[in-house]
Amino acid sequence: MKIHEYQAKGLLKQAGVPVPRGIVARTADEAAAAFDELGGSLAVVKSQIHAGGRGKGRFKEHPDQPGVVLVRSAAEARENAERMLGSTLVTIQTGEDGKQVNTLLVEEGLDIARELYLGIVVDRGEGGAVMMMSSEGGTEIEIVAHESPEKIFKQPIDGGYGLQPAQARSLAQRLELDPAAWRSAESFLPTFARFFTQNDCSMAEINPLIVTADGQLVALDAKVGFDDNAMFRHKNFAELRDLSEEEPAEVRAADAGLSYVKLDGNIGCLVNGAGLAMSTMDLIKHHGGEPANFLDVGGGANVDQVTEAFRIILSDENVKAVLVNIFGGIMKCDVIVEALLSAYDNIGFTVPLVVRLEGTNVEKAREMLNSSGRDIITATDLTDAAQKVVGSISA
Amino acid sequence: MSILVTKETRVICQGITGKTGLFHSQKCREYAKECQPDVDVFVGGVTPGKGGQTVDDFPVFNSVAESIAKTGANATMIFVPPPFCADAIIEAADAGIKLIIAITEGVPTLDMVRVMHFLAKTDSRLVGPNCPGVITPGVAKIGIMPGYIHTPGTCGLISKSGTLTYEAAWQLGNVGLGQSTAFGIGGDPIIGTDFIDLLEMFENDPGTESILMIGEIGGNAEVLAAEYIRDHVTKPVAGFIAGQTAPPGKRMGHAGAIISGGSGTAAEKIEALEAAGVSVAKSPADMGKAVLEAIAKA
């Protein structure tokens, strides 16, 4: 689960990680009032959407308006907020549809001496969390990793003892920070590492992390994602979720216990198991088709789940045919066919449906399909299934 | 011959009083009885607080340590719910169980970091979590895979997935190779036993003549495995990578199946495997055939 920058900064502040003073604004008046309350001569007005690249992003309705803007008066804050709120911000990460901005974060301007990159990820090779820092603040870490990997410094975070001050100091020294900033790093970095583990983050990134003119580290931006599997022990995070940032069909699928990802093709697929579902997409592509989605119905698919799965697949107007690929293990094929037939009748199919079954009780299941009287194309193996479903569209 | 699951394996189930734990313990017991009619392979289960009870003739114990003392168990199959799975794994390792197979899906990643930290100090081996388990066809299965789709044979099977493993096992049966032992290692970011551990064991197992490894997008385990194969494996190896059409930045079902920052793509994994001499199937329909090709090439 991802959250907004202002939410991440709220949590970081609670945890003792320094962030700029900031106020959330949902109207232009609130943005102007925020400027006055902050009391400085300079403030930053930042669009709150989950996607990155906001500073370089522009609004569809106002092509000259950037997603993040410096303002020098309350009136300027108001004018910018009026253009930003309710408008659609398009960034390198949103795709061309963009995202509507409903919330702004107004923050104090700071005296910046240096901009750094700070991130923590779970590194599979290390078998734990690893802190990454780079002197190239503001740049995407993937680009730095690609172009100048020697500029990235890594420090594994011990699962038992966390990040030690000496390790933080070492990072500060490798980044050639001014000795005045070492003390700040000894506190900031271990606190940030503790924030990561205590909140079951899947990733946390501060880009840029700034060093102020007086040697203090401050999180100028913050991007945090949580491990969905750990949400049972962070029930309070549920209220941080912003459903308007998520694909509606994916939310609907998750509610039904299905795993769904929308793609751009025209052949819908319904599969049991994530690996087989990915492979089914590959299979369609291999035979010249384009998959419209990833959909894993899981191990215990029942009539309700299969019906909902079909509804979600068919809610995509691009879908011109559907392939069902089931390897029935513990879940017997005949039970799946019962669910399939009920779902088929519930829906009223208008596009070709190809079904490939294998596994427990497959003969009985195929017989049920063939004698069902419904217009369902049965396939004997993977290749046959792919050819039939691709052929059903081109025919 | 086989690896890890052998005729000496004796298994308890942690979480046996749950519906799923009991169901699969029964299925595993049935399969083991068909293969080895004269011995009890599945010897009981553990649910703290329910010690002394029996469920469908399985004795239930309060702790793993007690179950070992009473039954001589040397392996465990874990079905406890995700919030308690890490603790169950640690209990098993602490009690001295050598083979821990965690089926549970949805274990928090940082719990697994803690588990791996703990296991490093023991000689226990973990398979999973979020995996179908392990089967040595004709001997025993510890996991949720249907027994009958697996035929005894000579190909070592390693896969991150569940139903895709079944598909592969089925194809291996159809091309007449069967499996020495088949492993689902799980699709989570942090897992116990990885490709390389099993490649090494299969290489050293006299009963294994070829290897099929099935990976997917996300992480770099397949790339590291390819390097290992190039340097250390002499037996023919075939492979398949799922997710060639997966978009970047989207989690494809498995917690670990995500292309992030342009790395962990199927293309880079396939390239690494092919460079190591592995026969990579282009279509999931051709996994069995790819093993035959690898054998013919050797």
Side-chain angles (χ1 to χ4, degrees), chain A residues 124 227 233 272 282 356 359-360, chain B residues 109 111 148 163 167 243 245 256:
Chain A
R124 303 179 195 210
D227 178 359
R233 56 187 169 217
N272 66 334
D282 298 346
R356 179 268 178 166
T360 316
Chain B
T109 304
D111 282 10
Y148 83 97
T163 45
E167 186 74 49
T245 47

Side-chain angles (χ1 to χ4, degrees), chain B residues 190-208:
Chain B
I190 307 274
I191 54 174
T193 297
D194 213 331
F195 287 115
I196 292 176
D197 303 314
L198 295 173
L199 286 166
E200 184 184 1
M201 283 186 253
F202 278 133
E203 171 71 11
N204 295 328
D205 172 39
T208 299

Side-chain angles (χ1 to χ4, degrees), chain A residues 70-187:
Chain A
L70 282 172
V71 295
R72 287 181 173 76
S73 69
E76 227 185 304
R78 183 195 309 275
E79 286 162 22
N80 279 281
E82 273 168 359
R83 285 190 292 270
M84 295 160 87
L85 286 166
S87 303
T88 313
L89 181 58
V90 179
T91 80
I92 192 160
Q93 290 183 12
T94 58
E96 58 189 33
D97 289 347
K99 275 283 168 193
Q100 188 175 351
V101 174
N102 301 313
T103 308
L104 301 170
L105 177 61
V106 185
E107 281 189 341
E108 61 178 343
L110 292 172
D111 197 358
I112 299 172
R114 281 192 68 180
E115 291 194 17
L116 310 167
Y117 170 91
L118 168 63
I120 303 178
V121 292
V122 175
D123 184 295
R124 303 179 195 210
E126 287 286 342
V130 174
M131 182 173 280
M132 290 187 297
M133 295 192 77
S134 146
S135 53
E136 306 292 299
T139 313
E140 271 187 66
I141 194 66
E142 287 86 5
I143 295 172
V144 183
H146 187 68
E147 287 172 1
S148 37
E150 74 284 354
K151 286 185 181 162
I152 297 177
F153 304 107
K154 292 186 180 180
Q155 174 63 54
I157 299 168
D158 187 277
Y161 304 106
L163 189 80
Q164 297 297 306
Q167 296 171 321
R169 197 162 58 243
S170 163
L171 281 167
Q173 290 167 355
R174 280 183 275 170
L175 288 160
E176 298 176 349
L177 294 196
D178 194 89
W182 294 356
R183 183 65 58 83
S184 179
E186 286 169 22
S187 152

Side-chain angles (χ1 to χ4, degrees), chain B residues 67-168:
Chain B
S67 75
I68 296 173
K70 302 267 173 66
T71 68
N74 53 20
T76 178
M77 173 168 79
I78 298 180
F79 277 98
V80 306
F84 316 108
C85 187
D87 191 51
I89 296 169
I90 287 172
E91 183 191 348
D94 210 25
I97 291 270
K98 295 292 179 280
L99 178 62
I100 302 167
I101 295 171
I103 310 298
T104 307
E105 177 176 3
V107 182
T109 304
L110 292 179
D111 282 10
M112 284 310 301
V113 170
R114 192 157 51 89
V115 164
M116 295 311 287
H117 207 75
F118 186 89
L119 291 182
K121 292 178 289 189
T122 72
D123 59 354
S124 298
R125 168 168 297 286
L126 170 68
V127 177
N130 189 16
C131 76
V134 184
I135 179 168
T136 294
V139 176
K141 72 170 187 124
I142 308 177
I144 60 175
M145 68 291 281
Y148 83 97
I149 61 167
H150 296 267
T151 44
T154 56
C155 183
L157 173 58
I158 318 167
S159 165
K160 273 184 174 177
S161 164
T163 45
L164 187 57
T165 314
Y166 308 164
E167 186 74 49

Side-chain angles (χ1 to χ4, degrees), chain B residues 211-282:
Chain B
I211 301 168
L212 173 58
M213 66 167 270
I214 299 168
E216 63 190 27
I217 55 163
N220 68 342
E222 292 85 351
V223 174
L224 297 175
E227 287 167 14
Y228 184 86
I229 291 166
R230 185 192 61 205
D231 298 339
H232 301 285
V233 179
T234 59
K235 293 176 181 175
V237 184
F240 177 73
I241 302 292
Q244 297 164 39
T245 47
K250 287 281 190 183
R251 206 171 66 108
M252 307 302 279
H254 290 154
I258 179 165
I259 298 169
S260 45
S263 71
T265 63
E268 75 186 43
K269 295 180 183 205
I270 291 169
E271 191 188 325
L273 287 169
E274 285 182 336
V278 175
S279 302
V280 181
K282 296 287 177 293

